[in-house]
Amino acid sequence: MKPETLKSILEDPMLSPQSREKLEALYANISAKEFSDVLGADGHQYVEFVQEGGGVWGSALVGYLYGLEIFGIRFLKVAGTSAGAINTMLIAACKTKEEAKSGIIREILLNWNFADFMDGKPYVKKTIRAMLKNKNFLKINIYISIAVLVFFGILAFVFPTKAIWETKILFAVPLLLVIIGAAYLAKLYADLKKGNSGLNPGTTFLNRMKEVLEGFGIKTVAQLNEKFIQSGKSLNLDYRYGNGTEYYDIALKSIEEIRENNKKHIDEIRYRIFFDSTVNNEYYKKDPFYLLKSEYIVVTTDINAKIKVELPTMANLYWSEEELKHISPAEFVRASMSVPFFFEPMQKRINKEDDSVKYAWKFWMNTKEESINPVGVFIDGGSISNFPMDLFHTADIFYPRMPLFGVQLTSDADILSEKGKTSEEILESPLTYAGNIIDTLRGFNDKTFLTKHTFYHLFSIQTVNCGTSSWLNFFMKREEKEELFNRGFQAALDFLNNFDWEKYKCERMMLSMKEKKILKEEDTPTVG
């Protein structure tokens, strides 16, 4: 980063004093670093990027994005769930891949009134607002109701009444409270049932997202795919060390170095097979961009098929090729952010007669035409995969050309709960027991992948602490959004300051060799 660029960024009114101080302290070190070997003509360095879902915490993701972009980081592959899906879609849709996106995305999200997306009944919005203002709202109201019922119940028996009507009043007051409570719950249940088990239709969000994408000239999935998805030499990128055989030569040299440094732990037979196949790989020898591709992926969950759905990769399970020429990619985001009960699940009727749909069901699900589901029912992708780092992981890696970055979102409450509990706390009641079971199952795929591949936690992932804010606070003020933005920005600076590209490449290749059983996992001092 040039000094004049730094000066301009430091004048950004949205940056907090802490953000400016950290940027000034770290910019020299970060500016001198390498983060990728895939470069644009303007020197920008390209990475893969995965963003975790987190409701209205999306402002923190934008701050993180801003921190990466000011140091010349650009994105070849992007993926996300829920809030991460919104950012993913905006990154893919706005401007060109060479241009910074965070400035535009920041203005969009900070100017959105999230409360508008709660487009259900007014009493629902009021109740949720009261619950967000007071975390003990339900508990307090339950205690008050019980106290009133007990008080009048006791009073009805101990208070000496002279007339029947006095007795009736004493019994009528608690009975009236019970009737009001039952009526409220009955209405809530009726509205949930009428709204397909969702308090908010989600139509307002869908329309707003469509408007934003149309402002970028993107009206259909086909248009976005044509704009963002490219491969090989059509990406117009360069390999850091040259576009001839340099990538191939460096890969062979680096693989041999790993063998030399880990001789005691190498399975020589497997290594020789692997190395011979590498030496004879004419594709990479002739083209350093072989199999390199730009893509965007939004994750949702189909509770009818009971699967994690990657869009647009698996879109033909639900939309025909012809439909994708007419529908907005905003529908993918709407599917991804369908928080159960808060928003109605998104539904998509499936045309079983279409050839592209039939082929997709055979390819992805091994399902015959007569067994294709009649409809897809989508809920929040976070119910299965809130942080889909596995999307861009491959065991069959030739040699790392660019890194995979990931950003997670947490809060003070989440950090406290993750410290571990005693068995007494977990089994305190059937409700706490059920809650811990649900927490374990939610995002199980992500946790399993990251536990198996600890490499990513060590080299790729940064967590943004969103403090005391709630991820469901749709009444968040602009000042709160700006605070989240700064938290994300500072986390990005910390990550870039600590990132070591050369070490990343070495350890990533060792991970690949472990997965091929070339390196003996049980006795190598490398990460998983």
Side-chain angles (χ1 to χ4, degrees):
M1 182 192 298
K2 297 178 180 179
E4 54 268 27
T5 305
L6 173 65
K7 183 180 178 181
S8 175
I9 293 170
L10 289 173
E11 292 172 354
D12 187 339
M14 194 174 295
L15 291 184
S16 66
Q18 294 85 352
S19 292
R20 293 192 183 97
E21 182 181 345
K22 177 163 284 193
L23 177 57
E24 285 186 291
L26 300 181
Y27 97 94
N29 183 52
I30 297 174
S31 297
K33 285 187 146 190
E34 293 179 357
F35 298 100
S36 173
D37 288 338
V38 177
L39 309 176
D42 44 15
H44 291 143
Q45 306 182 68
Y46 284 79
V47 304
E48 301 170 342
F49 189 38
V50 176
Q51 302 164 94
E52 186 175 38
V56 296
W57 286 345
S59 300
L61 296 177
V62 183
Y64 197 89
L65 178 67
Y66 182 57
L68 299 183
E69 285 191 332
I70 63 174
F71 284 100
I73 305 296
R74 297 294 183 265
F75 310 97
L76 209 59
K77 294 184 178 183
V78 284
T81 303
S82 194
I86 296 174
N87 271 22
T88 291
M89 188 60 67
L90 295 176
I91 291 171
C94 78
K95 295 192 172 184
T96 64
K97 71 175 185 296
E98 295 84 8
E99 296 175 283
K101 321 289 187 80
S102 53
I104 290 178
I105 298 174
R106 178 172 74 178
E107 288 307 305
I108 291 171
L109 293 189
L110 265 64
N111 287 321
W112 274 357
N113 182 4
F114 295 150
D116 291 342
F117 301 148
M118 297 175 60
D119 50 359
K121 300 289 179 66
Y123 81 93
V124 172
K125 183 181 287 191
K126 290 179 181 178
T127 302
I128 293 174
R129 184 169 210 155
M131 292 172 64
L132 289 169
K133 280 187 174 182
N134 186 348
K135 293 181 180 179
N136 296 316
F137 174 81
L138 288 177
K139 187 183 293 185
I140 290 172
N141 279 274
I142 290 172
Y143 286 161
I144 291 174
S145 300
I146 292 173
V148 171
L149 289 172
V150 171
F151 174 76
F152 279 96
I154 294 174
L155 199 63
F157 287 99
V158 302
F159 186 78
T161 56
K162 296 179 181 180
I164 294 177
W165 65 268
E166 293 177 341
T167 305
K168 288 180 177 179
I169 288 177
L170 289 175
F171 277 104
V173 172
L175 183 61
L176 182 62
L177 288 175
V178 172
I179 292 173
I180 291 173
Y184 181 87
L185 292 174
K187 179 173 176 53
L188 186 65
Y189 179 78
D191 286 341
L192 273 170
K193 190 173 181 181
K194 187 177 179 181
N196 298 313
S197 298
L199 294 173
N200 298 287
T203 306
T204 302
F205 171 82
L206 177 60
N207 291 336
R208 189 72 56 82
M209 196 72 197
K210 283 182 179 179
E211 290 171 6
V212 169
L213 294 179
E214 286 176 8
F216 300 139
I218 302 296
K219 293 185 177 181
T220 69
V221 173
Q223 286 178 330
L224 181 58
N225 291 351
E226 184 179 356
K227 174 182 180 178
F228 194 80
I229 300 177
Q230 300 169 323
S231 61
K233 293 181 179 178
S234 65
L235 290 165
N236 294 318
L237 297 173
D238 295 307
Y239 183 63
R240 180 181 295 277
Y241 302 104
N243 294 342
T245 62
E246 291 85 355
Y247 172 61
Y248 176 82
D249 296 337
I250 291 171
L252 292 184
K253 180 182 177 183
S254 299
I255 291 169
E256 284 281 48
E257 284 180 358
I258 291 174
R259 175 180 176 273
E260 287 299 315
N261 294 333
N262 295 274
K263 275 187 175 180
K264 295 180 180 179
H265 315 298
I266 290 287
D267 184 314
E268 288 295 341
I269 296 176
R270 292 180 187 272
Y271 176 81
R272 185 48 51 191
I273 294 172
F274 167 67
F275 190 76
D276 288 345
S277 67
T278 304
V279 169
N280 296 320
N281 195 315
E282 294 296 322
Y283 291 103
Y284 285 112
K285 183 183 289 185
K286 295 177 180 178
D287 181 9
F289 307 106
Y290 175 64
L291 296 182
L292 202 61
K293 179 183 180 182
S294 60
E295 60 181 319
Y296 69 96
I297 300 177
V298 165
V299 173
T300 184
T301 303
D302 178 4
I303 58 174
N304 193 12
K306 299 175 179 59
I307 58 170
K308 166 184 170 182
V309 181
E310 302 163 18
L311 301 170
T313 314
M314 300 166 67
N316 283 137
L317 287 172
Y318 308 95
W319 292 271
S320 67
E321 281 297 322
E322 188 60 32
E323 285 178 307
L324 294 176
K325 296 176 183 177
H326 302 283
I327 68 145
S328 171
E331 293 197 23
F332 294 169
V333 184
R334 171 65 182 87
S336 180
M337 50 74 72
S338 303
V339 179
F341 301 109
F342 194 87
F343 287 110
E344 289 184 24
M346 180 180 155
Q347 302 175 56
K348 174 63 180 71
R349 295 201 175 277
I350 300 171
N351 180 7
K352 300 182 180 182
E353 306 301 319
D354 183 83
D355 289 339
S356 60
V357 172
K358 287 188 286 188
Y359 177 81
W361 277 85
K362 180 65 178 176
F363 180 81
W364 292 104
M365 307 291 290
N366 194 29
T367 301
K368 296 180 180 178
E369 180 181 348
E370 60 270 19
S371 301
I372 295 174
N373 289 347
V375 65
V377 182
F378 302 111
I379 65 168
D380 196 308
S383 58
I384 288 184
S385 179
N386 203 37
F387 186 47
M389 286 288 286
D390 60 311
L391 292 179
F392 300 141
H393 173 79
T394 174
D396 190 24
I397 189 170
F398 186 77
Y399 189 69
R401 292 172 286 194
M402 61 181 176
L404 169 57
F405 288 174
V407 54
Q408 288 189 286
L409 303 173
T410 189
S411 67
D412 291 343
D414 290 337
I415 293 172
L416 188 63
S417 67
E418 289 171 2
K419 289 184 177 180
K421 304 173 184 176
T422 64
S423 58
E424 289 80 5
E425 290 172 323
I426 293 173
L427 304 173
E428 181 181 358
S429 70
L431 288 177
T432 57
Y433 178 48
N436 279 279
I437 292 175
I438 292 171
D439 285 342
T440 301
L441 296 176
R442 184 169 54 88
F444 177 76
N445 288 346
D446 301 334
K447 294 170 187 173
T448 301
F449 174 79
L450 291 173
T451 300
K452 184 177 180 181
H453 300 95
T454 54
F455 165 87
Y456 290 111
H457 270 307
L458 291 173
F459 295 98
S460 290
I461 299 170
Q462 180 74 356
T463 300
V464 180
N465 183 358
C466 296
T468 59
S469 63
S470 168
W471 66 276
L472 270 178
N473 183 11
F474 279 72
F475 304 95
M476 187 174 285
K477 299 177 181 177
R478 185 181 178 90
E479 307 85 74
E480 296 174 281
K481 294 179 184 178
E482 290 183 1
E483 181 188 348
L484 288 174
F485 177 88
N486 279 282
R487 285 176 177 268
F489 179 75
Q490 292 172 39
L493 297 184
D494 287 334
F495 174 77
L496 294 177
N497 187 56
N498 294 323
F499 184 77
D500 186 333
W501 175 224
E502 289 303 318
K503 188 171 180 60
Y504 179 102
K505 287 190 285 188
C506 178
E507 293 286 352
R508 181 63 185 87
M509 200 61 207
M510 292 179 75
L511 170 60
S512 180
M513 292 170 75
K514 269 189 178 184
E515 292 179 322
K516 294 179 173 68
K517 308 297 183 183
I518 296 167
L519 271 172
K520 300 171 186 176
E521 188 167 2
E522 64 275 8
D523 59 3
T524 47
T526 59
V527 296

